[in-house]
Amino acid sequence: MPEVEPPRSDRRELVLVACLLLLSIVTGAASLMPWRDWGHQLGAPILETGWERPDGSIGRGWLAVLIGVVLAAAGVLIAAERRRAGRTLAVVAALSLATLAVAEWGLGAGSSRTGPGSGIWVLLAVSLLVVVAVGATSPPEPAAARQGSGP
């Protein structure tokens, strides 16, 4: 009799899709949070979000929203059984999000000596959570592949 493989559970993919959807929404919300901790300079509180800088010009919050959309698209790819492409896209988006957060904190402030605000911390945390979620829900490696690799 031919061996029949047991049906595969899609539980891991469903958990990952739900995580990616939730984290994409949080990424979009982070663009509305304060991106800099100005403290109280000159007695007046300064508020800078991802969308609006203190001088009134537009910020880079649109990049966070764009990456949030890419995270949601990665979840859709995984749900459509394009698992490898979706996981790769999710990791690339998470690395882009971490790069955005670090660059915005380090380079976006210029010489103003401000600290990161809650929005930048959220972007960095979301990027780490996406990488952990993709790694934790990846399918187990087949036993034959594990035995074949070695010294």
Side-chain angles (χ1 to χ4, degrees):
M1 288 190 77
E3 274 190 43
V4 177
E5 288 186 31
R8 232 179 112 224
S9 174
D10 290 333
R11 183 178 31 171
R12 291 176 189 254
E13 284 79 19
L14 290 175
V15 168
L16 182 58
V17 168
C19 285
L20 290 177
L21 177 61
L22 178 66
L23 292 173
S24 69
I25 292 169
V26 171
T27 300
S31 69
L32 300 173
M33 295 176 176
W35 278 28
R36 301 237 181 283
D37 183 11
W38 289 91
H40 291 285
Q41 294 183 359
L42 304 174
I46 299 173
L47 182 65
E48 177 184 1
T49 65
W51 288 103
E52 188 174 348
R53 293 177 163 250
D55 62 359
S57 63
I58 190 166
R60 287 175 281 281
W62 59 274
L63 279 172
V65 171
L66 179 67
I67 294 172
V69 169
V70 171
L71 283 175
V76 170
L77 282 173
I78 293 169
E81 296 191 7
R82 302 280 309 200
R83 292 177 181 95
R84 185 178 178 106
R87 287 175 186 276
T88 303
L89 187 61
V91 169
V92 168
L95 294 177
S96 300
L97 201 56
T99 303
L100 171 67
V102 170
E104 181 66 29
W105 178 27
L107 304 176
S111 62
S112 64
R113 303 283 188 258
T114 62
S118 59
I120 290 179
W121 283 115
V122 167
L123 293 179
L124 189 59
V126 164
S127 67
L128 294 174
L129 287 173
V130 168
V131 172
V132 167
V134 169
T137 61
S138 62
E141 194 176 316
R146 272 184 277 150
Q147 290 173 354
S149 63

